[in-house]
Amino acid sequence: MSKTISILGSTGSIGRQTLDVVDDMNLTVAAITANSSVELMEQQVRRYRPRLAVMTNEAAARDLAVRVADTGTTVLGGFDALEEAATAPEADTVVTAVVGMVGLKPTLAAIEAKKRIALANKETLVCAGELVIDAADRCGAEIVPVDSEHSAIFQCVQGCADRGEIKRLILTCSGGPFYGMSRDEVAGKTRADALRHPNWTMGPKITVDSATLMNKGLEVIEAMRLYRLPLEQVDVVVHRQSIIHSLVEYHDCSMLAQLGTPDMRLPIRYAMTYPNRGVSLAEPLDLLKCPPLTFAEPDREVFSCLRLAEEAATEGGTACAILNGANEEAVGLFLADKIGFHDIARLVAEARARIPVVQNPTLDDILAADAAARRSVLGD
Ligand code: NDP
Ligand code: MG
């Protein structure tokens, strides 16, 4: 069980819920990181007294250093310092809760340092899943997924010694705020519309990804990498109630599912206590008060990001890094009110069409593909 943890992205939605779990389980915090949220970082430093606090934004790091000069916490600035937080010697577990591909190098560093990885940062697995999983196998580092669907699957494969027994993984998908709408109805949707998710409160990037269904596409790739399965064995089903968090179908036709109220503190806590379970902060699920559980096929024409992700997953190599890099920049433009909803998929498709895919990529190939995709979207 985890006792001392580092949190990459402690000021975000997952980071803050991880600190709820820290309070509940009385864990020690070795290191925390953020980009620019100085005030919240100051509060977290004062409350959790980590040895190290990192701000990737250098000006924010200088500001924080002055604010917490009386605390004994060391403040570092810049991207390389994320790796210091990821490898803090006293931490047994690293929660990767930064948003985006910036999580890749610190995750690899934490794996090399043999930490348990409580993995929320899905972009890392999407861009460089094979490298990350191979490194974890080589180093003997455990990866315990935090993403609710992948935690559900992880729980449903406990006791399955032979992965060949798995017929397919079924990821559930809320459908997002625009479920059931036509392409034309969705076309005029704004940032504010997209940020109104029906079931989960999350950071802005993943909330937009949930509206385009790119989030589900990224999760399909995440599941393929975690369980080393081809696309044919990873399905998506729309389940509006977000009560079944995902399922595993075995060849004997048994289906195992994990159910619960939608509360990320449950999978975060499980990543700390695995292979044991504790008492979670989540509300218990009352089956008698549950709405009827429904299932439907996702609409890959209106929400073409899901299809684009599945195509990239099939192509492999750097295709997923191109998809992800283009999506990160396109979502940034959408959140800045600079492009429309369908432009996100258009820009991702353009980047995929323009940039050649490299098979069996090195880390440098992946970083180059990511950079090329960002340039394609930003037009520079
Ligand atoms: P948030 O936007 O709420 O938080 C992101 C965190 O990362 C913040 O601490 C932020 O710091 C930091 N950050 C942002 N940009 C950078 C950067 N360029 N360099 C370093 N740090 C940065 O995101 P979420 O918590 O919602 O999501 C985090 C990850 O977890 C994502 O990969 C997401 O897909 C995944 N996830 C999230 C779920 C959720 O329920 N929220 C569910 C499943 C997966 P600052 O505050 O200073 O900006
Ligand atoms: Mg998820």
Side-chain angles (χ1 to χ4, degrees):
M1 197 186 90
S2 309
K3 291 190 183 70
T4 303
I5 68 170
S6 292
I7 310 172
L8 310 181
S10 61
T11 52
S13 161
I14 293 289
R16 283 178 277 119
Q17 294 180 85
T18 302
L19 288 170
D20 289 346
V21 173
V22 164
D23 291 339
D24 187 46
M25 293 178 62
N26 221 355
L27 302 176
T28 303
V29 180
I32 54 178
T33 83
N35 182 33
S36 60
S37 300
V38 178
E39 275 178 27
L40 185 51
M41 275 295 264
E42 179 182 354
Q43 289 168 22
Q44 292 181 351
V45 167
R46 293 196 180 283
R47 173 136 183 213
Y48 296 97
R49 299 286 165 153
R51 181 178 57 76
L52 179 64
V54 171
M55 309 272 336
T56 45
N57 179 304
E58 303 270 7
R62 286 192 292 276
D63 187 359
L64 184 67
V66 173
R67 286 168 181 248
V68 301
D70 60 312
T71 62
T73 293
T74 301
V75 177
L76 295 178
F79 282 97
D80 292 346
L82 285 177
E83 290 175 42
E84 299 261 340
T87 55
E90 65 273 45
D92 47 71
T93 299
V94 177
V95 181
T96 63
V98 294
V99 59
M101 150 87 170
V102 305
L104 176 56
K105 283 187 174 172
T107 303
L108 287 170
I111 287 171
E112 296 288 339
K114 298 188 176 15
K115 308 293 185 192
R116 172 180 289 190
I117 313 294
L119 189 131
N121 175 231
K122 66 188 79 182
E123 293 88 354
T124 285
L125 273 194
V126 168
C127 294
E130 278 119 348
L131 287 186
V132 170
I133 300 295
D134 287 350
D137 283 353
R138 179 170 41 79
C139 300
E142 279 176 319
I143 298 183
V144 185
V146 165
D147 210 347
S148 58
E149 296 77 2
H150 305 77
S151 173
I153 290 166
F154 189 82
Q155 295 179 54
C156 293
V157 300
Q158 294 309 308
C160 164
D162 176 5
R163 291 283 158 85
E165 292 176 348
I166 297 174
K167 186 171 172 194
R168 60 180 179 140
L169 311 179
I170 304 168
L171 299 176
T172 52
C173 168
S174 74
F178 309 142
Y179 175 72
M181 294 184 190
S182 69
R183 229 190 126 70
D184 286 350
E185 282 171 312
V186 174
K189 295 297 179 193
T190 62
R191 166 200 156 96
D193 300 324
L195 290 182
R196 253 178 250 124
H197 192 276
N199 301 341
W200 300 93
T201 308
M202 310 176 286
K205 192 260 175 182
I206 183 175
T207 308
V208 172
D209 284 346
S210 300
T212 60
L213 296 205
M214 181 60 94
N215 183 51
K216 209 49 54 179
L218 301 180
E219 291 184 352
V220 166
I221 302 167
E222 187 184 4
M224 289 169 62
R225 301 298 177 252
L226 279 170
Y227 299 98
R228 296 188 189 271
L229 290 173
L231 182 65
E232 296 69 44
Q233 283 178 272
V234 183
D235 279 350
V236 175
V237 62
V238 175
H239 166 53
R240 295 290 285 159
Q241 299 78 30
S242 297
I243 286 174
I244 297 180
H245 297 308
S246 280
L247 309 92
V248 178
E249 182 177 16
Y250 288 91
H251 282 294
D252 69 357
C253 294
S254 284
M255 268 194 195
L256 301 193
Q258 187 256 346
L259 285 72
T261 48
D263 187 330
M264 289 306 296
R265 294 173 307 179
L266 193 159
I268 294 169
R269 195 182 208 283
Y270 185 69
M272 304 297 158
T273 59
Y274 164 79
N276 301 313
R277 291 176 185 275
V279 180
S280 143
L281 291 162
E283 276 288 306
L285 176 66
D286 184 342
L287 287 174
L288 298 179
K289 290 191 182 137
C290 264
L293 305 183
T294 59
F295 306 97
E297 183 83 20
D299 186 337
R300 290 175 172 80
E301 294 313 311
V302 175
F303 302 101
S304 54
C305 283
L306 175 57
R307 185 172 41 75
L308 290 169
E310 289 170 337
E311 285 166 8
T314 308
E315 193 166 351
T318 50
C320 296
I322 296 166
L323 172 99
N324 180 73
N327 182 60
E328 283 191 30
E329 292 302 338
V331 170
L333 293 175
F334 179 76
L335 284 169
D337 292 322
K338 291 192 172 143
I339 61 170
F341 189 79
H342 287 314
D343 292 329
I344 299 175
R346 180 182 58 77
L347 289 165
V348 171
E350 277 174 19
R352 285 275 289 117
R354 265 187 210 146
I355 303 166
V357 169
V358 177
Q359 291 296 343
N360 302 315
T362 61
L363 182 57
D364 284 344
D365 293 330
I366 289 166
L367 297 174
D370 172 70
R374 290 171 194 272
R375 282 195 303 275
S376 164
V377 170
L378 297 176
D380 53 34

